[in-house]
Structure formats: structure tokens, C-alpha cells
Amino acid sequence: EVQLQASGGGLVQAGGSLRLSCVASGFTFDEFAIGWFRQAPGLEREGVSCISGDDGRIYYYSESVKGRFTISSDNAKNTVYLQMNNLKPEDTAVYYCAVPCLEREYVDYWGQGTLVTVSS
């Protein structure tokens, strides 16, 4: 059974930082692209960042997070991280871990989501 356990969300002031973690199980980590989507109230779910579980190649960052967020992976722990710095109120959303992550319509598995709230 594929499981994606996301954690690390919370309430932070604008300009602050959070690190999200996604622990994956039930599949071969290095055979898939694993990443993060987010969904703000009233908006569609959008891709944030995506990394290769094989070689750590980063496929994309959304334009809105480039230069502030960093995705990384630890294959020994089957874990993908999203370091979020200089957070803005518009980053407020539920963040979902997803496999694969290149395009939303081709995601096969979603994690349960972790809420990030950025206060101004």
C-alpha cells in the first residue's frame, strides 16, 4: 500500500520559515518523481516543486516560490523535504505530497496534506 505521510505545517509570521517532510512507503522511492502541490481556499491545486527520486534532479519550482523554497530528498529515509523561507501570506494553503508530480492530472497518489498558514 502506497503511503505518503506529510508533516511540518503550522502557523508562521510573514518572513518566517517552515520545513515540510513527506515520508514515502509502499513503492520504490527511486523509480518516481516525488513532490509537492498546494491548494489555497477557493483555488485549484497547483504544483509547487518536484524532484526525481532517482538522482535528485529538480524538475520544477513554481514561479511564485522560486528563490524562496528548496526541495530535497533523502533516499535512505524515503523522504522528500520542502524548505520554505521568506514565507508570504499568499503561501497559505494545504500542502500535499504527490507521486508522480510532474503534472497534476497524472498524480497517482496524494498524501493527506499539511496546513501552512502565514500571517501578515
Side-chain angles (χ1 to χ4, degrees), residues 12-35:
V12 64
Q13 289 188 332
S17 298
L18 286 173
R19 189 178 79 157
L20 305 184
S21 299
C22 174
V23 180
S25 62
F27 63 97
T28 305
F29 188 85
D30 60 7
E31 291 186 353
F32 292 90
I34 306 166

Side-chain angles (χ1 to χ4, degrees), residues 1-6 22-25 27 33-39 44-49 60 94-114:
E1 178 187 5
V2 172
Q3 291 191 348
L4 299 170
Q5 186 66 42
C22 174
V23 180
S25 62
F27 63 97
I34 306 166
W36 297 92
F37 288 72
R38 69 184 182 184
Q39 188 166 19
E44 290 189 351
R45 195 170 296 189
E46 63 173 358
V48 175
S49 187
Y60 69 82
V94 178
Y95 284 71
Y96 297 91
C97 188
V99 173
C101 52
L102 294 176
E103 294 185 55
R104 186 185 64 184
E105 54 265 41
Y106 298 121
V107 171
D108 290 325
Y109 301 101
W110 295 99
Q112 86 283 9
T114 185

Side-chain angles (χ1 to χ4, degrees), residues 41-59:
L43 299 180
E44 290 189 351
R45 195 170 296 189
E46 63 173 358
V48 175
S49 187
C50 183
I51 190 169
S52 168
D54 178 25
D55 58 10
R57 175 174 37 146
I58 297 171
Y59 291 111

Side-chain angles (χ1 to χ4, degrees), residues 53-85:
D54 178 25
D55 58 10
R57 175 174 37 146
I58 297 171
Y59 291 111
Y60 69 82
Y61 288 104
S62 67
E63 286 298 320
S64 61
V65 308
K66 279 182 181 178
R68 300 188 297 121
F69 290 12
T70 302
I71 193 169
S72 62
S73 63
D74 184 336
N75 286 40
K77 297 181 178 179
N78 281 7
T79 301
V80 174
Y81 303 99
L82 187 68
Q83 178 66 42
M84 307 186 294
N85 297 330

